[in-house]
Amino acid sequence: MTARVLVVDDQPANIKLLEAMLNAEYFEVVTASNGPEALAVCARGLCDLVLLDVMMPGMDGFEVCRRLKQNPQTAQLPVIIVTALDQPSDRLKGLEAGADDFLTKPINELALITRVKSLVRLKTLTDQLMVRASASSELGMTDPFDGAVASGDHGRILLVEDKPSRRSRIVEGLAEAGHRVDAESDPQEALFRIAEGPYDLVIVSLDLDGFDGLRLCSQIRSLERTRLLPILVVAQADETHRLVRGLDLGVNDYLLAPIDRNEMLARVRTQVRRSRFMERLRDNVHLTMEMAITDGLTGLHNRRYLERHLAGLVDQAAQRQRPLSVLLLDIDFFKSVNDTHGHDAGDDVLREFSRRVRRTVRSMDLVCRLGGEEFVVVMPDTESRIAEMVGERIRERIAAQPFLIEGGERQLAVTVSIGLSARSGRGDTPETLLRRADEALYRAKREGRNRVAAAVA
């Protein structure tokens, strides 16, 4: 794994030491000797993670971290504070500033490298989602950076802990801070509850009786639904090797027993905030993908979706020697609707037309809007004779009742012409099927419209 790490320290000897550790693991290192210089490097996107000293002249590390986390452009940049300060109050101050971790000097090289690798993996995943979500702005959707500094309050948390006294202390501490906490002592039952969710965070004790807490963490990471769910583990102070292993497995953060309440709240708040931001990004990506294949006016799949999936349906029908039929629909005299009543009325007709078609065909049939007033229905496992009956049923349903326009104030009679083609079994392609359906459609129009015409294979 390679990444660019920014080391910020005003002492050249400290920079050299950290640089040597990171270079040995093939990380690229950039350096800064003060806060403003570090902020400038981060603003230009020149690093993937920041190792930040606290005691620096002018702007200290806490303030640098606070500014990074308050800027939507750098809020998701992982920050590890590295300092000689080792008091609980110092650790809390760093976590409240938004730091992802707080390591004290002298630095344990194994712990440092493992933590860096874990956070770099998270940064890589976040970057990938950000790139995909950025396409949303081109589609007129919300900028993915909006809300980058999400709230970490009132999280939904599952605690997996079988020690009654520790469980009650954690639950009470989190509940007092406004989080909603479910507690579970059985790890297998916990896995079912996590999968059913939704949770912002799961807290797992590593010293569960008769069960390895790391195995539960691994199981959480193996499920598609929970693969990105933040995991915070509770470990004993002498379990460094298990923590390192946990970070390798994808654990996001940890607490050492005995648990400091304020540190727990700070770490939980950070993980809940990150969970919500990642969820926002995933929703943005899914919506962007949906918009890319969906017609915004009718809610049907669009031409792009048809082009990508019709070939697969045709191939599948050929391999299984099954029938497949295609209906090409064109609303009669639609141009006159727009010219006479306006485009809003035309949109009303298109939406209602789509609803009637969808209600007429099967759920397994693929209904797409090609553009304008043209639509396609692809019907797997359907012979030409049955498809013609379905086409006739669509035609009747469209013509049976007038369409309401202008907010229901006026009615408009609408008819449709339909061309039909079916797989002939002689090397048909999507293009040949659509071409024959198009030829049949034009014949239906020439013969007087408001009818179904079948192509001759």
Side-chain angles (χ1 to χ4, degrees), residues 55-81:
M55 306 301 292
M56 294 185 295
M59 184 187 301
D60 67 17
F62 295 134
E63 180 60 23
V64 173
C65 184
R66 193 173 296 111
R67 294 193 185 190
L68 287 173
K69 295 300 181 178
Q70 289 174 349
N71 182 351
Q73 300 293 328
T74 57
Q76 303 308 315
L77 185 63
V79 177
I80 301 177
I81 288 182

Side-chain angles (χ1 to χ4, degrees), residues 38-58:
L39 292 174
V41 172
C42 295
R44 295 199 302 273
L46 299 180
C47 63
D48 301 299
L49 180 142
V50 182
L51 291 178
L52 180 61
D53 185 37
V54 170
M55 306 301 292
M56 294 185 295

Side-chain angles (χ1 to χ4, degrees), residues 304-325:
R304 180 184 291 110
Y305 187 90
L306 176 70
E307 291 172 348
R308 297 190 62 174
H309 285 76
L310 180 56
L313 292 174
V314 172
D315 288 344
Q316 186 179 71
Q319 291 171 7
R320 298 167 60 186
Q321 292 298 300
R322 300 293 298 167
L324 180 140
S325 296

Side-chain angles (χ1 to χ4, degrees), residues 193-400:
R193 296 181 67 168
I194 294 167
E196 293 170 357
Y199 289 103
D200 297 309
L201 172 68
V202 57
I203 301 176
V204 178
S205 174
L206 292 189
D207 58 350
L208 298 169
D209 288 338
F211 193 88
D212 185 352
L214 289 181
R215 184 167 299 279
L216 176 59
C217 296
S218 176
Q219 292 171 333
I220 294 171
R221 283 291 172 261
S222 68
L223 297 175
E224 179 65 28
R225 178 180 174 85
T226 59
R227 189 159 294 159
L228 300 180
L229 177 66
I231 302 173
L232 187 153
V233 298
V234 179
Q236 300 299 317
D238 60 354
E239 291 185 304
T240 303
H241 66 290
R242 299 196 71 207
L243 285 176
V244 169
R245 180 64 176 144
L247 292 169
D248 277 340
L249 288 172
V251 167
N252 299 84
D253 206 348
Y254 59 87
L255 287 166
L256 296 179
I259 296 173
D260 179 85
R261 179 182 182 278
N262 290 327
E263 180 180 345
M264 175 182 70
L265 294 179
R267 292 190 183 275
V268 165
R269 187 164 55 247
T270 295
Q271 294 305 321
V272 169
R273 183 187 301 119
R274 176 173 288 134
S275 176
R276 288 170 175 168
F277 178 67
M278 295 291 281
E279 184 66 28
R280 176 187 174 89
L281 277 184
R282 288 196 299 274
D283 290 346
N284 196 304
V285 169
H286 292 157
L287 184 56
T288 301
M289 294 172 62
E290 186 67 23
M291 289 183 67
I293 61 173
T294 304
D295 175 61
L297 177 64
T298 64
L300 300 176
H301 289 304
N302 59 17
R303 179 187 289 271
R304 180 184 291 110
Y305 187 90
L306 176 70
E307 291 172 348
R308 297 190 62 174
H309 285 76
L310 180 56
L313 292 174
V314 172
D315 288 344
Q316 186 179 71
Q319 291 171 7
R320 298 167 60 186
Q321 292 298 300
R322 300 293 298 167
L324 180 140
S325 296
V326 174
L327 300 177
L328 186 58
L329 291 63
D330 189 280
I331 300 175
D332 295 328
F333 303 111
F334 183 74
K335 185 176 184 300
S336 66
V337 175
N338 284 331
D339 292 345
T340 305
H341 304 283
H343 288 280
D344 287 345
D347 290 348
D348 290 339
V349 170
L350 290 170
R351 281 189 287 262
E352 177 59 21
F353 181 88
S354 302
R355 283 192 287 268
R356 295 189 190 187
V357 172
R358 276 191 294 194
R359 287 198 296 265
T360 306
V361 302
R362 304 167 299 180
S363 60
M364 65 181 289
D365 296 328
L366 174 61
V367 185
C368 301
R369 182 186 177 197
L370 279 183
E373 66 273 25
E374 280 197 327
F375 298 78
V376 173
V377 180
V378 182
M379 309 179 67
D381 292 322
T382 305
E383 296 178 348
S384 175
R385 177 179 57 85
I386 302 299
E388 190 167 2
M389 294 172 58
V390 174
E392 184 61 29
R393 193 177 302 132
I394 292 173
R395 187 199 65 75
E396 291 175 351
R397 177 162 287 185
I398 297 302

